[in-house]
Amino acid sequence: HFICREIGRSCSAPYEDLANMERLVHADPLQQWLINFSSRNTRSQYGHWFEKFQTFAGKNAKQLLEIAETKEGRRQIDFLTKQFYDYLVKDGYTRGSATTIMTAVRSFFTYNAERLPKLPHAFSAPFEPAFEQRRVLTPDEFQKMIEKAKSPFEQLVLWMVADGGQRRGVYTALKMKHLKTELAQDTPVVIAVPSELFDYRGENVNKGRRVAYRFGFTAGTVNRLLDHLEQRRKNGEKITAESWLLSDRGKPPSAKRINEIVERTAKDAGIQRTVVSAKKGRMRTIHAHIFRGFLNDRFKASGEADDIFRNMILGHRPPYAGAYDRYMDERILDAYRKLGNSQSDTVTEKVTSRVT
């Protein structure tokens, strides 16, 4: 079924046709490697990196595998990947990003039973986020963004991103059934993210995979969400457990739409900046992903000192698979009550009345 979906053919085709399709996929060693990644984004990214490596090496995938068939050839490939690492760093990539790309390239040879020599510890560089990923948003700047929201829906999106601290894809896949506690006025809520969280395209947006975790929203965001749901009911929508938690014109907003709201309100607020990244070119300094750090800072300001707890909220894999760190719903609700009582969760009556 996976092969059919990738090639764009129906699985109702005769077995012989399906077998031919499978042979077509496996005829290309690069596609044979990439098809093992369940995430479409990962396949695209790894494919791009390996194409970059092929250009650097001046060889295609089959030629590189032929070189790696001998012990001396594997040493040549090993040296070539390290030269590729140096090339990436000189081209402006951080050491952490260059290591990630080099490791991905090397995994192609491991998959094809051509294991390369073990990398020395010197290549285990700590992750160094680029400038645009380190942008620190202040509560005052966030308030300016809220003031530039053009609708209650946009205001809700901003508060959900600020309270949730999730990767933007998560918001596109949440349904009513993911509410772990009751959705009630003036009360925070807990959201349960399963290990497999599928969006409207059928893609698993839980980047941590196999890691189920929980996060929440403050009482203020819950009140805005309740207004959002009530408006949808007035528009004739029947809200059930399978209904999307966030809906824009009958369907959940895309990750791109969420980021557009963030970037535009920041621009209209006069706090948006553009930087040049060697990895992605021109980028906005304020985008949806920086709200992960924004929530972490807000939690610390509210007195939340448990690093493991904050990382759990952000969807990071816990130490020892979370065997020794379990958090009850009430613990999460208490953290969001304190967060809601902090100064950063105050929206002036002027802003609320203007948007309404």
Side-chain angles (χ1 to χ4, degrees):
H1 284 273
F2 182 79
I3 293 172
C4 295
R5 187 181 70 183
E6 289 302 301
I7 298 180
R9 290 285 300 275
S10 170
C11 280
S12 62
Y15 173 78
E16 293 78 9
D17 289 348
L18 298 182
N20 288 336
M21 285 190 284
E22 187 172 3
R23 282 193 289 272
L24 285 173
V25 173
H26 289 273
D28 183 349
L30 183 57
Q31 293 303 318
Q32 183 181 11
W33 170 59
L34 293 175
I35 206 168
N36 288 278
F37 300 105
S38 60
S39 168
R40 187 173 301 172
N41 289 337
T42 300
R43 290 197 299 276
S44 175
Q45 196 169 47
Y46 274 42
H48 170 72
W49 289 342
F50 201 85
E51 286 176 5
K52 195 177 185 73
F53 176 67
Q54 288 179 114
T55 301
F56 172 80
K59 306 282 185 182
N60 62 34
K62 289 184 178 180
Q63 291 171 327
L64 290 167
L65 284 178
E66 288 173 359
I67 295 174
E69 288 178 354
T70 65
K71 184 176 181 179
E72 180 58 32
R74 287 190 290 276
R75 290 188 180 277
Q76 292 179 27
I77 297 295
D78 173 57
F79 183 64
L80 193 59
T81 60
K82 293 171 182 175
Q83 287 182 311
F84 183 53
Y85 168 90
D86 290 335
Y87 163 77
L88 293 171
V89 172
K90 291 178 182 178
D91 197 38
Y93 286 79
T94 65
R95 290 194 304 142
S97 295
T99 298
T100 299
I101 296 172
M102 177 182 63
T103 302
V105 167
R106 291 170 68 92
S107 72
F108 166 77
F109 298 96
T110 302
Y111 174 80
N112 284 281
E114 305 293 354
R115 187 175 294 276
L116 304 180
K118 185 177 180 180
L119 281 171
H121 183 70
F123 286 97
S124 301
F127 182 68
E128 300 170 349
F131 167 76
E132 62 273 10
Q133 294 171 304
R134 294 200 306 264
R135 175 67 159 84
V136 178
L137 189 70
T138 68
D140 287 342
E141 288 176 328
F142 178 65
Q143 292 297 331
K144 292 178 181 178
M145 292 174 63
I146 290 292
E147 293 175 11
K148 296 301 179 180
K150 293 182 177 179
S151 66
F153 177 78
E154 288 194 355
Q155 189 183 44
L156 173 61
V157 167
L158 290 174
W159 274 111
M160 289 179 73
V161 171
D163 275 1
Q166 303 300 299
R167 299 175 180 90
R168 52 184 170 161
V170 170
Y171 303 105
T172 70
L174 292 176
K175 294 184 176 182
M176 295 295 293
K177 66 181 180 182
H178 296 127
L179 296 173
K180 189 74 163 48
T181 57
E182 183 182 1
L183 196 64
Q185 193 80 19
D186 300 325
T187 305
V189 71
V190 175
I191 308 291
V193 178
S195 58
E196 290 188 331
L197 180 65
F198 296 101
D199 65 7
Y200 57 94
R201 302 167 302 172
E203 292 282 332
N204 183 11
V205 296
N206 186 345
K207 190 175 181 181
R209 300 180 182 88
R210 297 188 299 278
V211 177
Y213 65 96
R214 288 162 294 163
F215 70 98
F217 295 132
T218 61
T221 300
V222 167
N223 291 344
R224 297 178 185 92
L225 179 57
L226 286 168
D227 290 341
H228 171 70
L229 293 171
E230 181 59 27
Q231 185 59 53
R232 286 162 58 184
R233 289 190 183 96
K234 290 180 179 179
N235 292 338
E237 181 180 350
K238 183 179 180 181
I239 305 297
T240 68
E242 291 297 324
S243 297
W244 299 109
L245 192 64
L246 191 61
S247 180
D248 183 24
R249 302 181 186 89
K251 62 181 181 180
S254 64
K256 180 180 179 181
R257 168 73 172 138
I258 290 173
N259 202 54
E260 286 174 347
I261 292 173
V262 171
E263 291 191 357
R264 183 191 56 74
T265 53
K267 179 181 178 181
D268 292 348
I271 60 174
Q272 186 65 278
R273 299 291 181 272
T274 301
V275 295
V276 177
S277 165
K279 185 176 180 181
K280 295 184 178 180
R282 293 173 63 85
M283 290 187 63
R284 301 294 188 186
T285 58
I286 297 178
H287 45 82
H289 201 75
I290 70 166
F291 279 87
R292 291 170 65 73
F294 181 59
L295 176 64
N296 193 46
D297 289 341
R298 289 173 62 207
F299 265 132
K300 288 189 285 188
S302 71
E304 181 53 67
D306 188 338
D307 291 343
I308 295 177
F309 174 82
R310 297 199 309 270
N311 275 290
M312 182 275 292
I313 293 291
L314 295 174
H316 293 157
R317 188 182 296 272
Y320 305 104
Y324 306 107
D325 296 283
R326 302 288 182 179
Y327 300 98
M328 304 297 289
D329 289 343
E330 187 55 39
R331 170 72 171 83
I332 300 172
L333 290 172
D334 184 61
Y336 273 93
R337 288 189 193 100
K338 293 177 181 177
L339 188 68
N341 290 332
S342 66
Q343 184 179 2
S344 61
D345 194 40
T346 302
V347 180
T348 64
E349 290 297 326
K350 178 180 179 181
V351 174
T352 303
S353 61
R354 185 186 68 80
V355 173
T356 303

